[in-house]
Amino acid sequence: IMVASLLWSFHITAIWKLQTTHRTVMCSIDEEVAKLLQLKAQLGGEDGKHVFVLKTAKGTRDYNPKQMAIREKVFNTIIGCFKRHGAETIDTPVFELKETLTGKYGEDSKLIYDLKDQGGELLSLRYDLTVPFARYLAMNKITNIKRYHIAKVYRRDNPAMTRGRYREFYQCDFDIAGQYDPMIPDAECLKIVYEILSELDLGDFRIKVNDRRILDGMFAMCGVPDEKFRTICSTVDKLDKASWEDVKNEMVKEKGLSEGVADQIGEYVSMQGGMDLAERLLQDPKLSQSKQACAGLADMKQLFSYLQLFQVTDKVLFDLSLARGLDYYTGVIYEAVLSQMIQAPVVAEQNGALPGDEASVSVGSVAGGGRYDGLVGMFDPKGKKVPCVGVSIGIERIFSIMEQKAELLAEKVRTTETQVLVASAQKNLLEERLKLTTELWNAGIKAEVLYKKNPKLLTQLQHCEETGIPLVAILGEQELKDGVVKLRKVASREEVDVPREELVEELKRRTSKLP
Amino acid sequence: IMVASLLWSFHITAIWKLQTTHRTVMCSIDEEVAKLLQLKAQLGGEDGKHVFVLKTAKGTRDYNPKQMAIREKVFNTIIGCFKRHGAETIDTPVFELKETLTGKYGEDSKLIYDLKDQGGELLSLRYDLTVPFARYLAMNKITNIKRYHIAKVYRRDNPAMTRGRYREFYQCDFDIAGQYDPMIPDAECLKIVYEILSELDLGDFRIKVNDRRILDGMFAMCGVPDEKFRTICSTVDKLDKASWEDVKNEMVKEKGLSEGVADQIGEYVSMQGGMDLAERLLQDPKLSQSKQACAGLADMKQLFSYLQLFQVTDKVLFDLSLARGLDYYTGVIYEAVLSQMIQAPVVAEQNGALPGDEASVSVGSVAGGGRYDGLVGMFDPKGKKVPCVGVSIGIERIFSIMEQKAELLAEKVRTTETQVLVASAQKNLLEERLKLTTELWNAGIKAEVLYKKNPKLLTQLQHCEETGIPLVAILGEQELKDGVVKLRKVASREEVDVPREELVEELKRRTSKLP
């Protein structure tokens, strides 16, 4: 009743305003409607009970401890690789001045989250880590850096959460900025992708490479008008999901190319190979006419020679159909794809599908990047360029795959690292348990103790089984009298008395062998 | 000129709209003004040059590699402690539904960052990690968990960045949720604070403890009216920065207490001690009349008995002046303070103070927390309570102190972990350098190589000096012929020839001894 009368008084206010003043009417109505909708949302319906909507924001999710354990493992592998290659790390704020992001993402700008204007600067949530990186370089006048950055980015996309796509998701970027001899840093980026995908053990994969200059030269020689390069590029980019027929159709019917031009493009984009292909295309009567294409092809040859030294050519493929969406690439581009389709259980959502539902998921691209020599210059007051090349690891897809794998193999994922539970077999031993636990903590042993005065031994053992704690240190009257601790292996139920003063050493000895 | 004409055409449009239609005028004018202001901001003034404002948002900062190296060290210590105590970790989205945060922070709600309404849900950036944790527990019906969460939170405060206060900053929370025997989890939280502050080596510290029930009982017995408990609590909370005279003044003149009542409070809040004080106050003629105070004092005794077992009583102080600001505490509360004042160099800001400026900084509280048994119930549809106790480590202040320390001691902070640089003494050895680097990477050695075809040996050695790489593996014609690598210690300049096939083992042997 109270709610109804509140709503009514809002209506009355709105109508009253309608009748009295003319000037502010349209604005006022909009405001009143907004207020009413907000009130309604807060009230959660018409029943007058204030109910919280218990959910996370659309397109976002919590990570539970099991997901976090997998996430930590993946991060450790990736960060380990970045550090092996001598990378530093930086961090930037989650929001940037709105204008920092303006004009960097083309059509995708509509997916940027803006903050409400609460008086002060206009701010937006970061859309990727590359633009903040370029801003950081220009702002601090840094011309040389090899850095990684792992952080969340935000896109108001329509999320396909079942396929591991969210509005809040991690990016995991490695970039090398600086003026160096050609293709050496570019080759190291590919080496890094190779190492990470191998170490994560995600099955077979391929890394496709191409070069924007080769694409542009090819378009020019096939007769595509300059102003259509980028849009034809986007169409070519669809070849990983669509057939040539569909792609050609889009080129001819939507983008206005002639059939002849499209067919010439079609011949090139079906080509795949290695260094040999680059050499052959340098002799190609059409491509060799384009300075741009020749520069790209010469660099491609150079790239493959370094990739041979890095021992990664078995997975790298020069593929003329690779185009990549982003405008800012200026040279080599690449993308890693997993070879298998993976059967994915639908991610359990709080407000949607049931866990256990199955959906066929094409994993597709798990890493991508390229050279972008112009982006930093967009931020420099004098337009001073800093050449950059980098790669972004598609960490969310990798999480999904790892989660699936854990589920399929019915792996027990441990969410804690506790090595030993301090337990008692009899009553009234809380003090003794806390004393021993303190000894262990002070010696750097990962130890737990149940927060109960008199827990049953069974309860204590069950806690170990559930959480995967491998050892139990059991105290009883007899053990205390004898100055020993009964050390029990949870898996085998073997028990042995260990002198109290040797317990820390014994635990260290045993846990150093445990996974 | 182009800009001027653009601005002009906007004006014309605005005026034209003014003349033609009446209904939408006010809305239109606002829109046009907004567009013009935006355009002006983008253009960066009247000179027609498009200039970006190169800065981060107000109250935020980038972390450079050196700061990140310190941050990583601090995080490792803290996470190591949490894991030693058997904690899991979770993560929640950076924004929540606005209503999730509504009504949780009292007056501070005005400091919450809202997102722009772009159609869809109303969202806000998280203000702390405690409310999202409570939402997570209620949403997933979790009644038992020991978890830590390290993540950024957002407050539209007026930042005192020189004192390590920002609008975007890390929180580092450890909480135990569940129905357990009294004061055991509470004592573990204090043990954790003790361990972390000791390990980080920040100098001497004290952990003050009190209990909301003791405060409330004391207020009641001194004659403070019920409805003034919280506001008097806030006044008492100022005792760490203000004198008793000022605090009393506020109680009497602003909050309307009588002098007599204020003086009675004054006597209590000057009391400090340990378990003995709790015992004495249980006999206090006034306090012993209050059931609440007695419950709090009995628990305080119990707490100290556990703290003795945990061996931390040397730093813990029962202090009746500790009040803490947040409304949601229901039992024990605590706060850790460093004993020394620290001489802090002003943090270099892109748009402000010069680096090297010195300012005296009171570090004050570096950790705080308490018991909050009612918060989860605010999210549960049936109001089901989950008792919780937790602690938040003031990580940003700790970063500032560590940065200062590094600066004062002129410590060289390494930002990479590279163990060896692969170098050459002669020209035309790029291929050999890349080959050897590949061998090292594949063996898990952290190795770098300069991205130049023919770098000078001096340049390569300088790179090691600058970045702290301890070893150089030098290749030359002679070494290649002999099947050896010249391994040079950068610090001592000692050189020794190592057979190529033994290099990996030799590097592993040497680097395992290095810090």
Side-chain angles (χ1 to χ4, degrees):
Chain A
I1 288 167
M2 207 193 77
V3 175
S5 78
L6 245 174
L7 285 169
W8 181 241
S9 90
F10 264 105
H11 273 298
I12 293 294
T13 313
I15 290 163
W16 176 79
K17 285 202 177 158
L18 251 172
Q19 290 172 333
T20 47
T21 150
H22 218 77
R23 290 187 315 167
T24 55
V25 164
M26 296 304 284
C27 295
S28 294
I29 289 178
D30 287 352
E31 273 170 30
E32 297 305 325
V33 167
K35 275 186 204 159
L36 283 167
L37 287 174
Q38 205 182 341
L39 185 70
K40 204 176 150 189
Q42 274 177 22
L43 294 167
E46 306 291 339
D47 59 354
K49 228 180 90 193
H50 189 113
V51 201
F52 282 103
V53 183
L54 259 183
K55 65 185 286 295
T56 59
K58 185 182 175 192
T60 69
R61 59 166 168 176
D62 297 317
Y63 284 83
N64 65 33
K66 207 170 138 184
Q67 291 167 322
M68 288 297 280
I70 292 169
R71 181 173 123 178
E72 193 180 327
K73 218 176 113 192
V74 174
F75 279 162
N76 284 344
T77 303
I78 293 173
I79 293 171
C81 177
F82 292 157
K83 286 187 174 177
R84 194 159 58 241
H85 286 260
E88 313 176 288
T89 186
I90 67 161
D91 195 17
T92 64
V94 84
F95 44 69
E96 294 276 345
L97 298 185
K98 187 176 166 60
E99 61 170 328
T100 297
L101 308 189
T102 303
K104 307 297 184 306
Y105 303 107
E107 277 188 18
D108 286 350
S109 294
K110 65 181 184 296
L111 304 181
I112 293 174
Y113 276 99
D114 291 330
L115 269 71
K116 191 170 154 186
D117 183 1
Q118 293 171 289
E121 299 161 333
L122 293 177
L123 306 172
S124 303
L125 298 186
R126 62 183 164 209
Y127 184 82
D128 66 8
L129 302 178
T130 309
V131 168
F133 176 55
R135 191 264 307 146
Y136 175 82
L137 294 185
M139 192 171 119
N140 297 287
K141 304 203 185 343
I142 294 167
T143 53
N144 277 291
I145 193 170
K146 172 153 67 173
R147 81 89 182 81
Y148 68 91
H149 189 188
I150 299 182
K152 287 173 175 177
V153 302
Y154 299 86
R155 299 184 183 179
R156 272 170 15 87
D157 218 333
N158 273 323
M161 287 181 288
T162 51
R163 263 166 276 164
R165 289 189 52 175
Y166 290 87
R167 289 183 162 197
E168 176 189 59
F169 60 96
Y170 270 96
Q171 280 200 340
C172 193
D173 283 16
F174 173 93
D175 295 82
I176 301 170
Q179 186 70 58
Y180 300 114
D181 280 326
M183 308 318 283
I184 315 177
D186 314 58
E188 189 175 13
C189 289
L190 295 176
K191 171 76 173 160
I192 280 174
V193 174
Y194 187 102
E195 286 183 13
I196 288 172
L197 295 182
S198 303
E199 244 184 284
L200 289 174
D201 198 18
L202 301 168
D204 200 18
F205 61 90
R206 286 288 169 280
I207 308 172
K208 300 180 194 170
V209 293
N210 198 3
D211 193 298
R212 271 286 161 87
R213 292 165 298 171
I214 299 175
L215 280 168
D216 286 354
M218 185 250 286
F219 291 147
M221 292 305 118
C222 292
V224 178
D226 284 17
E227 70 278 9
K228 287 190 178 168
F229 279 12
R230 284 287 83 84
T231 182
I232 295 301
C233 208
S234 304
T235 307
V236 168
D237 197 34
K238 295 177 184 166
L239 271 173
D240 57 340
K241 281 163 207 143
S243 69
W244 167 248
E245 281 66 39
D246 293 339
V247 167
K248 180 181 167 183
N249 218 24
E250 184 174 315
M251 284 182 181
V252 176
K253 302 223 170 114
E254 287 177 39
K255 311 267 165 109
L257 291 193
S258 76
E259 285 229 13
V261 170
D263 285 335
Q264 284 180 62
I265 294 172
E267 246 170 72
Y268 284 114
V269 297
S270 68
M271 295 179 182
Q272 293 186 330
M275 196 192 286
D276 54 313
L277 177 59
E279 278 163 354
R280 223 173 61 224
L281 289 175
L282 273 170
Q283 310 303 325
D284 182 88
K286 249 187 302 192
L287 276 194
S288 59
Q289 305 283 307
S290 156
K291 260 194 191 168
Q292 266 205 303
C294 287
L297 288 165
D299 275 352
M300 187 62 70
K301 266 185 68 178
Q302 181 75 276
L303 178 69
F304 267 92
S305 77
Y306 295 141
L307 295 177
Q308 265 163 13
L309 297 169
F310 286 158
Q311 302 173 10
V312 298
T313 42
D314 59 317
K315 310 273 188 199
V316 183
L317 199 67
F318 173 26
D319 183 329
L320 274 95
S321 73
L322 178 70
R324 290 193 62 76
L326 286 169
D327 275 8
Y328 54 60
Y329 291 121
T330 54
V332 65
I333 49 177
Y334 34 82
E335 197 166 285
V337 288
L338 299 184
S339 307
Q340 306 151 285
M341 291 276 277
I342 298 221
Q343 199 69 13
V346 170
V347 177
E349 280 303 312
Q350 57 270 24
N351 41 6
L354 292 165
D357 275 1
E358 299 262 332
S360 174
V361 165
S362 158
V363 168
S365 162
V366 288
R371 178 162 283 283
Y372 51 101
D373 289 348
L375 191 59
V376 178
M378 290 177 73
F379 287 104
D380 189 88
K382 287 172 191 157
K384 206 188 151 214
K385 287 187 177 183
V386 177
C388 293
V389 63
V391 63
S392 187
I393 309 293
I395 193 80
E396 298 287 345
R397 290 188 172 186
I398 292 170
F399 288 153
S400 298
I401 296 167
M402 301 296 271
E403 275 188 76
Q404 277 162 236
K405 258 178 81 174
E407 216 151 308
L408 283 173
L409 300 173
E411 269 182 312
K412 215 166 175 185
V413 179
R414 281 202 68 183
T415 58
T416 66
E417 297 179 7
T418 311
Q419 300 161 326
V420 60
L421 179 78
V422 175
S424 61
Q426 287 131 342
K427 288 201 165 186
N428 301 320
L429 289 173
L430 173 62
E431 292 203 359
E432 291 297 339
R433 282 192 287 134
L434 295 184
K435 242 192 238 173
L436 180 57
T437 309
T438 304
E439 280 176 38
L440 299 181
W441 283 336
N442 291 354
I445 304 284
K446 293 171 189 152
E448 278 182 64
V449 61
L450 293 200
Y451 305 125
K452 294 276 177 192
K453 283 196 167 167
N454 294 308
K456 290 181 188 144
L457 186 59
L458 188 65
T459 313
Q460 297 173 87
L461 294 175
Q462 274 171 346
H463 177 72
C464 293
E465 301 266 6
E466 279 160 19
T467 63
I469 300 174
L471 297 166
V472 199
I474 304 171
L475 290 173
E477 298 294 353
Q478 194 57 48
E479 284 80 12
L480 287 167
K481 212 175 286 167
D482 298 346
V484 297
V485 173
K486 202 177 278 307
L487 194 58
R488 178 186 168 113
K489 234 170 136 170
V490 176
S492 65
R493 300 180 187 190
E494 284 167 66
E495 288 184 351
V496 58
D497 281 354
V498 179
R500 177 95 170 218
E501 62 275 14
E502 291 169 21
L503 182 64
V504 166
E505 274 321 299
E506 177 65 18
L507 286 171
K508 283 191 179 166
R509 204 181 57 72
R510 291 219 198 181
T511 50
S512 69
K513 281 187 286 179
L514 289 164
Chain B
I1 288 165
M2 207 193 77
V3 175
S5 77
L6 244 173
L7 285 169
W8 181 241
S9 89
F10 266 105
H11 275 297
I12 294 292
T13 314
I15 291 163
W16 176 79
K17 285 203 178 155
L18 252 172
Q19 289 171 334
T20 47
T21 150
H22 218 78
R23 289 186 315 167
T24 55
V25 164
M26 295 305 284
C27 295
S28 295
I29 288 179
D30 286 352
E31 274 170 30
E32 297 306 326
V33 167
K35 275 184 204 161
L36 282 167
L37 286 175
Q38 206 182 341
L39 184 71
K40 203 177 151 188
Q42 276 177 21
L43 294 168
E46 306 291 340
D47 60 353
K49 228 181 90 192
H50 188 115
V51 199
F52 284 103
V53 183
L54 259 182
K55 65 185 287 292
T56 60
K58 186 183 174 191
T60 69
R61 58 166 168 177
D62 297 316
Y63 283 83
N64 65 34
K66 208 170 136 184
Q67 291 166 323
M68 289 298 280
I70 292 169
R71 180 173 123 178
E72 193 179 328
K73 217 177 114 192
V74 174
F75 279 162
N76 284 344
T77 303
I78 293 174
I79 293 171
C81 177
F82 293 157
K83 287 187 172 175
R84 194 161 57 241
H85 286 260
E88 313 177 287
T89 187
I90 67 162
D91 196 16
T92 64
V94 84
F95 44 69
E96 295 276 345
L97 298 186
K98 186 176 166 59
E99 60 170 330
T100 298
L101 307 189
T102 303
K104 306 298 185 305
Y105 303 106
E107 278 187 17
D108 286 350
S109 295
K110 65 180 185 297
L111 303 181
I112 293 174
Y113 277 99
D114 292 330
L115 268 71
K116 192 170 154 186
D117 182 1
Q118 292 171 290
E121 299 161 333
L122 293 177
L123 306 172
S124 303
L125 298 186
R126 63 183 163 209
Y127 185 82
D128 66 9
L129 302 178
T130 310
V131 167
F133 176 54
R135 192 266 305 146
Y136 174 81
L137 294 185
M139 193 171 118
N140 296 288
K141 301 201 187 343
I142 294 167
T143 54
N144 278 291
I145 192 170
K146 172 153 66 174
R147 82 89 182 81
Y148 68 90
H149 189 188
I150 299 182
K152 287 174 175 177
V153 301
Y154 299 86
R155 300 185 183 179
R156 271 171 15 87
D157 218 333
N158 273 322
M161 287 181 287
T162 51
R163 263 165 276 165
R165 290 189 54 175
Y166 290 87
R167 288 183 162 196
E168 175 187 60
F169 60 96
Y170 270 95
Q171 280 201 340
C172 192
D173 283 15
F174 172 93
D175 295 83
I176 301 170
Q179 186 70 58
Y180 300 115
D181 280 326
M183 309 317 283
I184 314 177
D186 314 58
E188 190 175 14
C189 289
L190 295 176
K191 171 76 173 160
I192 280 173
V193 174
Y194 187 101
E195 285 182 11
I196 288 172
L197 295 183
S198 303
E199 243 184 286
L200 289 175
D201 198 18
L202 301 169
D204 200 18
F205 61 89
R206 287 288 169 280
I207 308 173
K208 300 180 194 171
V209 294
N210 198 5
D211 193 298
R212 271 287 160 86
R213 293 165 299 170
I214 300 174
L215 280 169
D216 285 353
M218 184 250 286
F219 292 148
M221 291 305 118
C222 293
V224 178
D226 284 18
E227 71 277 10
K228 288 190 178 166
F229 280 12
R230 284 287 82 85
T231 180
I232 294 302
C233 208
S234 303
T235 307
V236 168
D237 198 35
K238 294 176 185 169
L239 271 173
D240 58 339
K241 280 164 208 143
S243 69
W244 166 247
E245 281 66 42
D246 293 340
V247 167
K248 181 181 167 183
N249 218 25
E250 184 174 317
M251 285 183 181
V252 176
K253 302 222 170 115
E254 286 179 39
K255 311 265 164 110
L257 292 193
S258 76
E259 285 228 13
V261 170
D263 284 336
Q264 285 180 59
I265 294 172
E267 247 171 72
Y268 283 113
V269 297
S270 68
M271 294 179 184
Q272 293 187 331
M275 195 192 285
D276 54 311
L277 177 59
E279 276 163 355
R280 223 172 62 224
L281 288 174
L282 274 170
Q283 310 302 323
D284 182 89
K286 250 186 302 191
L287 277 194
S288 59
Q289 306 282 307
S290 156
K291 260 195 191 167
Q292 266 203 302
C294 286
L297 289 165
D299 275 351
M300 188 61 69
K301 267 184 69 178
Q302 180 75 275
L303 177 70
F304 268 92
S305 78
Y306 294 140
L307 295 178
Q308 264 163 14
L309 296 169
F310 285 158
Q311 302 173 10
V312 298
T313 42
D314 60 318
K315 310 273 189 198
V316 182
L317 199 67
F318 173 26
D319 183 329
L320 274 95
S321 73
L322 178 71
R324 287 189 69 74
L326 285 169
D327 275 8
Y328 54 59
Y329 291 121
T330 55
V332 66
I333 49 177
Y334 34 82
E335 198 166 283
V337 288
L338 299 185
S339 307
Q340 306 149 283
M341 292 276 277
I342 298 219
Q343 199 69 11
V346 170
V347 177
E349 281 303 313
Q350 57 270 27
N351 42 5
L354 292 165
D357 274 1
E358 299 264 329
S360 174
V361 165
S362 159
V363 167
S365 161
V366 288
R371 178 162 284 284
Y372 51 101
D373 289 346
L375 190 60
V376 178
M378 290 178 73
F379 288 104
D380 189 87
K382 287 171 190 158
K384 207 189 148 210
K385 287 187 177 182
V386 177
C388 293
V389 63
V391 64
S392 187
I393 309 293
I395 193 79
E396 297 287 344
R397 290 189 172 187
I398 292 171
F399 288 153
S400 298
I401 296 167
M402 302 296 272
E403 275 187 76
Q404 277 162 238
K405 259 177 80 174
E407 215 149 309
L408 283 174
L409 300 173
E411 271 182 310
K412 218 169 172 178
V413 179
R414 281 202 68 183
T415 59
T416 67
E417 298 179 6
T418 310
Q419 300 162 325
V420 60
L421 179 79
V422 175
S424 60
Q426 287 130 342
K427 287 202 167 188
N428 301 319
L429 290 173
L430 173 63
E431 292 203 0
E432 291 298 338
R433 282 191 288 133
L434 295 184
K435 242 193 237 174
L436 180 57
T437 309
T438 304
E439 281 177 37
L440 299 181
W441 284 336
N442 291 354
I445 304 284
K446 293 170 189 151
E448 279 181 64
V449 61
L450 293 200
Y451 305 126
K452 293 277 178 191
K453 285 197 165 165
N454 294 308
K456 289 180 188 142
L457 186 59
L458 188 65
T459 312
Q460 297 174 86
L461 293 176
Q462 273 171 346
H463 178 72
C464 293
E465 301 267 7
E466 277 160 20
T467 63
I469 300 174
L471 298 167
V472 197
I474 304 171
L475 290 172
E477 298 293 351
Q478 194 57 46
E479 284 80 12
L480 287 167
K481 211 175 289 168
D482 298 347
V484 298
V485 174
K486 201 176 280 304
L487 194 57
R488 177 186 169 113
K489 232 167 137 173
V490 176
S492 65
R493 301 179 186 189
E494 284 167 65
E495 289 184 350
V496 58
D497 280 354
V498 179
R500 178 97 172 215
E501 62 276 13
E502 291 169 22
L503 181 64
V504 166
E505 275 321 300
E506 177 65 17
L507 286 171
K508 282 191 179 166
R509 203 180 57 72
R510 292 217 198 182
T511 52
S512 69
K513 280 187 286 178
L514 289 165

